[in-house]
Amino acid sequence: GRRPDAATMAARALSLCDGDAALMANAHGFAGFNLADWGKYDEAALAYESGLAAAGKAGVPRREGWIYGLAAWGWLRSGKLDLAADWARQSVVICDRLEWLAFRSWPETVLAEAELIGGADGRNCVALARRLGPGAGPPCPTAGPGVADGTPEG
């Protein structure tokens, strides 16, 4: 199956890192994501912690931001909403510091989902949608009124 095969690949990747902390951060991040998707949250947490330690040692903050974001998703899946939100915020802070816009939407989305599931009123989710899709118009250029913004006037 997909998950055992991915675990085998992650183990192989770790064995090829030859002590390179940046490579180890990548491999641990991949392993953690696979484990979380598999529902093995405790093992995923250990992989993420190892990845963060390796990224810190290597001085690769982008990898730290990536791992925080992946881990936030895992915490969300596990139902640990506070941890999901905290780790997502850490990822967003790093993305902002690095001006890494290509990845920033991942932790922002996890954060919004954690807040919404946790009982937030949804205003942050609407604001997030506007930030992630500024200028987004109707999916079809010939769409009629109301499609662009959900109002009868469009």
Side-chain angles (χ1 to χ4, degrees):
R2 152 181 110 167
R3 295 293 145 228
D5 288 347
T8 299
M9 296 301 293
R12 175 82 172 126
L14 280 167
S15 75
L16 296 173
C17 290
D18 196 31
D20 183 313
L23 293 175
M24 291 173 67
N26 292 341
H28 283 300
F30 173 80
F33 191 73
N34 179 57
L35 289 163
D37 194 35
W38 204 347
K40 297 182 176 190
Y41 303 115
D42 292 338
E43 292 175 56
L46 294 174
Y48 290 135
E49 290 290 347
S50 295
L52 287 172
K57 180 180 177 184
V60 285
R62 184 174 286 216
R63 198 52 56 217
E64 288 178 283
W66 177 71
I67 292 169
Y68 274 118
L70 294 182
W73 175 83
W75 292 126
L76 182 68
R77 280 187 54 113
S78 75
K80 296 181 179 178
L81 301 180
D82 289 341
L83 283 172
D86 290 345
W87 286 58
R89 284 186 196 98
Q90 286 291 333
S91 182
V92 168
V93 166
I94 293 169
C95 288
D96 285 349
R97 188 177 71 232
L98 299 175
E99 298 179 359
W100 188 18
L101 300 179
F103 183 69
R104 192 179 192 278
S105 61
W106 176 276
E108 279 237 39
T109 302
V110 172
L111 178 58
E113 191 169 346
E115 289 176 349
L116 194 59
I117 292 169
D121 65 11
R123 281 183 273 191
N124 288 342
C125 295
V126 172
L128 170 64
R130 287 189 177 134
R131 282 195 312 276
L132 295 179
C140 174
T142 59
V147 176
D149 64 7
T151 68
E153 297 81 32

